[in-house]
């Protein structure tokens, strides 16, 4: 079988990394060796061929992960308001933030700037070296068409040298679609309490500023990224 090429997976938090990784792992089995650059040791990361990194230095205003011209990158992103709402709830779930409007209002602008810097760097920057191999995947496409999304990722990870086993792919996708767990601790307990895609309007701190933010991002970000507006009446 063809090898899985060493691939860095820059993903904005809450953009479907675990969903994609679970399906990919179910397909590839032990051939896929996973590591997390932001938490694992250097030895673990060095051995991995599928390396997750949130590029968190961008959130601090730094340049983040160095881009290597000959490397390949599997990039994951999501609608900004879906991303930021989910990221906030993740931080609340792990007791890193309080579940208050005040904490949300402090978190929102920082997380949005991080999102803009992330998608510009990995998806929109015209100066991204053309010698890099980059495959970008939105959460919306992954959620609505997981078979094609995972097939494309298999093709990317093996540089087109793998004839896809459709039965194995079907099994991998069916295993992780339907109900799902938002957090690793839920998944570890075997609970999958969520069955529907996030609705931005049902967020407990939703207000009129969020449609304004979305409108401000349409031309420069949403349209070039192929992201639909969620708050159009």
């Amino acid at each position: 079988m063809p090898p899985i090429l060493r691939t860095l997976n820059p993903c904005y938090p809450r953009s479907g990394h675990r969903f994609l990784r679970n399906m990919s792992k179910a397909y590839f089995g032990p051939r896929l060796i996973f590591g997390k650059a932001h938490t694992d040791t250097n030895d673990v990361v060095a051995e991995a061929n599928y390396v997750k990194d949130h590029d968190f230095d961008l959130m601090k205003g730094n340049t983040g992960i160095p881009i290597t011209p000959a490397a390949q990158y599997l990039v994951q992103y999501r609608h900004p308001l879906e991303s930021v709402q989910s990221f906030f709830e993740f931080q609340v779930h792990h007791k890193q933030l309080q579940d208050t409007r005040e904490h949300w209002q402090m978190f929102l602008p920082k997380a949005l700037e991080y999102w803009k810097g992330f998608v510009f760097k990995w998806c929109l920057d015209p100066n991204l070296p053309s010698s890099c191999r980059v495959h970008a995947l939105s959460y919306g496409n992954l959620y609505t068409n997981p078979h094609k999304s995972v097939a494309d990722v298999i093709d990317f990870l093996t540089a087109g040298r793998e004839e896809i086993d459709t039965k194995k792919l079907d099994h991998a996708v069916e295993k992780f679609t339907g109900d799902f767990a938002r957090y690793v601790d839920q998944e570890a307990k075997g609970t999958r309490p969520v069955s529907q895609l996030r609705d931005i309007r049902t967020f407990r701190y939703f207000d009129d500023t969020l449609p304004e933010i979305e409108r401000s991002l349409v031309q420069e970000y949403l349209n070039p990224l192929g992201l639909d507006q969620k708050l159009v009446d």
Side-chain angles (χ1 to χ4, degrees):
M1 289 186 175
I4 295 173
L5 303 182
R6 181 174 170 82
T7 302
L8 185 67
N9 176 211
C11 53
Y12 189 89
R14 318 304 297 161
S15 294
H17 161 80
R18 182 161 43 90
F19 184 28
L20 176 61
R21 186 185 86 225
N22 283 344
M23 291 187 288
S24 300
K25 183 67 174 176
Y27 179 88
F28 284 115
R31 295 165 60 198
L32 191 144
I33 304 169
F34 175 63
K36 295 174 284 188
H38 54 289
T39 57
D40 286 343
T41 65
N42 289 337
D43 289 345
V44 171
V45 170
E47 186 178 333
N49 55 21
Y50 186 96
V51 181
K52 169 190 173 186
D53 197 319
H54 288 311
D55 210 355
F56 275 136
D57 267 0
L58 293 174
M59 201 170 191
K60 303 172 186 175
N62 300 326
T63 57
I65 302 166
I67 295 175
T68 305
Q72 72 169 30
Y73 302 95
L74 172 59
V75 180
Q76 290 182 263
Y77 63 94
R78 187 178 186 179
H79 185 285
L81 298 182
E82 289 178 344
S83 300
V84 172
Q85 287 178 0
S86 184
F87 192 14
F88 174 77
E89 290 178 343
F90 175 88
Q91 301 243 2
V92 169
H93 180 78
H94 291 283
K95 304 187 186 308
Q96 296 166 334
L97 289 174
Q98 295 176 26
D99 192 1
T100 66
R101 184 175 291 275
E102 180 183 10
H103 274 238
W104 162 248
Q105 289 174 339
M106 290 189 297
F107 179 79
L108 174 60
K110 295 177 183 177
L112 273 176
E113 284 305 305
Y114 168 36
W115 182 89
K116 289 191 285 187
F118 181 93
V119 295
F120 178 80
K121 174 179 177 177
W122 293 108
C123 303
L124 303 176
D125 186 355
N127 296 316
L128 189 70
S130 58
S131 56
C132 292
R133 295 187 72 240
V134 179
H135 179 72
L137 176 62
S138 73
Y139 181 88
N141 286 339
L142 178 63
Y143 181 86
T144 57
N145 199 344
H147 279 83
K148 183 179 186 308
S149 296
V150 176
D152 288 346
V153 167
I154 294 167
D155 188 67
F156 180 71
L157 294 177
T158 60
R161 294 193 291 267
E162 175 135 347
E163 183 176 350
I164 293 175
D165 183 328
T166 56
K167 288 185 179 179
K168 190 184 289 187
L169 174 61
D170 289 345
H171 174 74
V173 170
E174 288 165 9
K175 185 176 180 180
F176 292 103
T177 49
D179 295 346
F180 59 96
R182 280 213 167 107
Y183 307 116
V184 171
D185 55 331
Q186 294 174 339
E187 190 171 88
K189 293 175 184 176
T191 58
R192 299 173 68 169
V194 184
S195 60
Q196 292 183 326
L197 193 64
R198 174 178 296 276
D199 182 344
I200 296 168
R201 295 179 190 272
T202 65
F203 181 61
R204 55 196 169 281
Y205 302 126
F206 182 88
D207 58 30
D208 291 341
T209 64
L210 296 184
E212 293 175 10
I213 288 170
E214 185 185 56
R215 284 193 293 271
S216 74
L217 298 172
V218 170
Q219 295 301 321
E220 192 173 354
Y221 294 98
L222 301 191
N223 286 348
L225 291 167
L227 295 173
D228 294 332
Q229 287 182 253
K230 304 289 185 176
L231 301 176
V232 177
D233 293 324

